Amino acid sequence: MSSSEDTIDAKPAGGVRARVRAELTAEIKASARRQLAVEGASALSLRAIARELGMASSAIYRYFASRDELLTALIIDAYIDVADQIDAADAACERSDRRGRFVAIAHALRSWAVTNPNEYALIYGTPVPGYAAPSDTVDPAARVPTALLTVLVESEIAEDRAPDASHLGEALAELLAFTDHTVPAAVMARAVEAWAELFGLISLELFGHFHKSVTDPEAFFAHAASSIAERLLP
Amino acid sequence: MSSSEDTIDAKPAGGVRARVRAELTAEIKASARRQLAVEGASALSLRAIARELGMASSAIYRYFASRDELLTALIIDAYIDVADQIDAADAACERSDRRGRFVAIAHALRSWAVTNPNEYALIYGTPVPGYAAPSDTVDPAARVPTALLTVLVESEIAEDRAPDASHLGEALAELLAFTDHTVPAAVMARAVEAWAELFGLISLELFGHFHKSVTDPEAFFAHAASSIAERLLP
DNA sequence: TGTACATCAGTGAACGCGCGTTCACTGATGTAC
DNA sequence: TGTACATCAGTGAACGCGCGTTCACTGATGTAC
């Protein structure tokens, strides 16, 4: 989190060299993202990026130590990007309108996915074989589920009206601890179900399984999102 | 569907050559499946298969005209395999126990996915870039959703108790026609939601997003499946 | 049952391609005095 | 302000690898008479 270097507006501003370097780093990532769209993550090629940028393939190594490091940067960027969109959508809502916030978050998620299908596939689709996500990706990855959970936590669902959720306490222990046990297990279970349904809807749509069945995925998603909200936040 | 050739037990049985050919075809697919596990679909290599089988790489072309044709065969096999498992689970239930049938289908789906994560990723994960699924895959792919729908159709949900589902008539037109309009739009919407949630749960689990949150995915899936059944089949 | 011919499986070399990564290098930009 | 040195970006050749696919070929297995 040494982002202080980037935001300082002092005279040298990190120097001309640093600025040019940041720009080229961004260009490399942009070119890589364009490649994702055509070939998919596992076909991401440093040489193809260098070709598009008109530079020697070896020059990429001044910016990323390896192909995997580039992939990691793309993954982290994608997580940050969705999370930012989601947080913005949430922030635009009346704080007390929890259903509205949930629906807004859901729509922000789908919008981002439809606009950036390759980034979506990168982080929520089949993991790239042979690639092990480093721990840097964990925090950004947690922001989306956290945003969904926060809506829950801020609503005061003290009562546990769902039946027999005690047996889930163990399966969801980590999550319950994460919210300091302010959310009862049965409610948490419904939240995880909602989370799964949202991602299921988006994945089925983007990966082609709604072809010839759900012909208007956007309309259907809108319906599903509000019906989940009703179920989740009574 | 020329499976009659395979099942005939007459003397020549298609000839020795045909039998050997079928066996080697199966061996090639088995080796390919083993590769999926290690490298993922996009890294599937005909040369690696040939190496494992101890034959010249060019020999594979006596069995599959191209890499894509092999991939298609694997995809179709995977669809058939899940669907067979699901149908068997369904068939083992009391016909009238619709909730039981739904839950059995759900568990068969997850069991298959957990046992064959690579085949699951092949058909329900990120599509292989550059690969266009031929129309032969459509029918096998439809069997899983059809099994889920059939449970619905066979229950007599004549009443449409959910509110304002008329606006979904268009989005779900194909599905409603598929069931000869015996299922009202609102119920169909709940069915698609259920379908999405099942796949969402399985995908989140298999693709690593339950790590450190849902620590007992099997227990949680069991809970979710039965709560979906209650919601879907009141 | 035996012969003559057609079909097919499998071989091994080759074509042309792309890839990630390393390395010694040139020249430009920055830093210290 | 000017010089001397260190740092860094970018180059181009090379290493070693794997890939899908084609092709002319050798033998073995099947078929027709």
Side-chain angles (χ1 to χ4, degrees), chain A residues 19-114:
Chain A
R19 194 146 48 213
V20 170
R21 184 180 175 80
E23 272 165 26
L24 235 180
T25 306
E27 269 191 66
I28 290 172
K29 291 201 281 191
S31 171
R33 260 177 290 239
R34 253 171 270 132
Q35 266 202 46
L36 283 189
V38 183
E39 303 284 357
S42 58
L44 183 98
S45 153
L46 297 186
R47 293 187 102 109
I49 293 168
R51 234 176 283 132
E52 193 185 56
L53 264 45
M55 64 203 299
S57 61
S58 50
I60 305 285
Y61 287 83
R62 297 283 165 206
Y63 297 87
F64 296 94
S66 68
R67 203 192 88 118
D68 271 12
E69 201 174 273
L70 211 205
L71 252 186
T72 300
L74 293 176
I75 288 172
I76 292 177
D77 278 8
Y79 275 126
I80 292 176
D81 199 20
V82 220
D84 283 351
Q85 299 288 337
I86 279 175
D87 286 351
D90 184 23
C93 295
E94 182 79 42
R95 285 307 68 197
S96 61
D97 178 15
R98 276 122 26 175
R99 282 192 191 170
R101 287 170 63 191
F102 177 86
V103 169
I105 288 174
H107 276 97
L109 184 60
R110 180 177 172 279
S111 290
W112 181 85
V114 169

Side-chain angles (χ1 to χ4, degrees), chain B residues 17 21 24 47 54-56 58-59 62-63:
Chain B
R17 197 123 92 173
R21 185 180 175 82
L24 235 179
R47 291 187 105 108
M55 64 203 300
S58 49
R62 297 282 164 207
Y63 298 86

Side-chain angles (χ1 to χ4, degrees), chain B residues 79-93 95 101 104-105 108-109 143-144 146-148 150:
Chain B
Y79 276 127
I80 291 175
D81 199 20
V82 219
D84 283 351
Q85 300 288 337
I86 279 175
D87 287 351
D90 183 22
C93 295
R95 280 319 58 203
R101 287 170 63 191
I105 288 175
L109 185 59
R143 283 182 57 196
V144 170
T146 298
L148 287 168
T150 303

